[in-house]
Each structure stands twice: as structure tokens, then as C-alpha cells.
């Protein structure tokens, strides 16, 4: 499952992180910890930080600097209106794919 799940996550990790940010704003390390809590233990911090940069460049998240107890300010990411619309589209697409894949697994054809 290892290599296959890595390949599948490449297409869905943006949506997963946006879904986490829909719950509450968070900084990079916190997002990584939440992913691990959700069972995505193989996702490393570097992947999350690169993804956050892409989400910021696409205008899907807002970024605010917050003081940190241990060093420089942290970048706290939150979902904005454009990101919420993107997340909604992600879930619609996800539901479509899940439905079609379940049909295939059950042997149903149309």
C-alpha cells in the first residue's frame, strides 16, 4: 500500500489540508500533527510546508503572523472564501469518484 497511497495522496493532499483548515486556523507544524492524528503518519513536515506555500500562492488561504513562545513568529493559515469554494469543489469531486469506484468494486456497470 505504501507507494500506491503516496501517489494517491499527491492528488488529494491539498483538499485534506484545506479540510483541516476549515475546522480551525493552524500553523505548519500543527497541520502536520493533525494529519498524523488522522492517520497520515507518512506525510513529512517539508511536504506540508511546500503545500502551504502553493495554497498561499493560489490565494486559497490567508496567512497571519502570530507570536511564538519559542522563536520567530509563526505563520498561521486560515481558509478564505476562495479556499472554501475550492474545498467544496474538492468534496464534490471526491464524492463522484468514491461513488464510481464503489460501483466498479461491486461489479456494477452502466
Amino acid at each position: 500500500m505504501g507507494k500506491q497511497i503516496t501517489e494517491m495522496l499527491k492528488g488529494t493532499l491539498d483538499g485534506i489540508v484545506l479540510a483541516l483548515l476549515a475546522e480551525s486556523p493552524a500553523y505548519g507544524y500543527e497541520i502536520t500533527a493533525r494529519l498524523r492524528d488522522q492517520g497520515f503518519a507518512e506525510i513529512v513536515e517539508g511536504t506540508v510546508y511546500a503545500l502551504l506555500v502553493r495554497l498561499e500562492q493560489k490565494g486559497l488561504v490567508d496567512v497571519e503572523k502570530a507570536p511564538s513562545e519559542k522563536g520567530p513568529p509563526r505563520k498561521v493559515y486560515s481558509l478564505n472564501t476562495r479556499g472554501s469554494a475550492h474545498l467544496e469543489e474538492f468534496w464534490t469531486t471526491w464524492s463522484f469518484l468514491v461513488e464510481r469506484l464503489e460501483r466498479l468494486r461491486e461489479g456494477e456497470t452502466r
Side-chain angles (χ1 to χ4, degrees):
M1 183 171 87
K3 185 174 180 175
Q4 195 172 41
I5 196 164
T6 299
E7 292 300 318
M8 293 177 95
L9 277 173
K10 286 180 183 175
T12 57
L13 194 54
D14 288 17
I16 293 168
V17 169
L18 290 175
L20 291 176
L21 292 175
E23 294 175 0
S24 66
Y27 54 92
Y29 178 79
E30 189 176 16
I31 293 168
T32 304
R34 286 188 195 171
L35 286 167
R36 290 182 180 147
D37 288 346
Q38 295 291 326
F40 300 106
E42 296 177 9
I43 297 173
V44 297
E45 278 184 70
T47 299
V48 173
Y49 285 108
L51 183 144
L52 289 169
V53 168
R54 285 196 313 272
L55 293 176
E56 183 180 0
Q57 289 173 343
K58 290 178 181 176
L60 300 176
V61 295
D62 291 331
V63 182
E64 199 171 300
K65 289 194 175 186
S68 170
E69 297 171 6
K70 300 177 181 177
R74 292 178 170 152
K75 291 175 88 173
V76 177
Y77 298 86
S78 60
L79 196 64
N80 60 26
T81 304
R82 190 171 173 187
S84 293
H86 189 83
L87 179 59
E88 186 62 34
E89 185 179 337
F90 170 81
W91 286 129
T92 300
T93 304
W94 181 259
S95 295
F96 173 84
L97 289 172
V98 167
E99 180 187 335
R100 295 315 184 275
L101 289 170
E102 285 298 326
R103 283 185 191 174
L104 281 172
R105 183 163 65 179
E106 294 168 5
E108 183 181 324
T109 57
R110 287 191 171 201

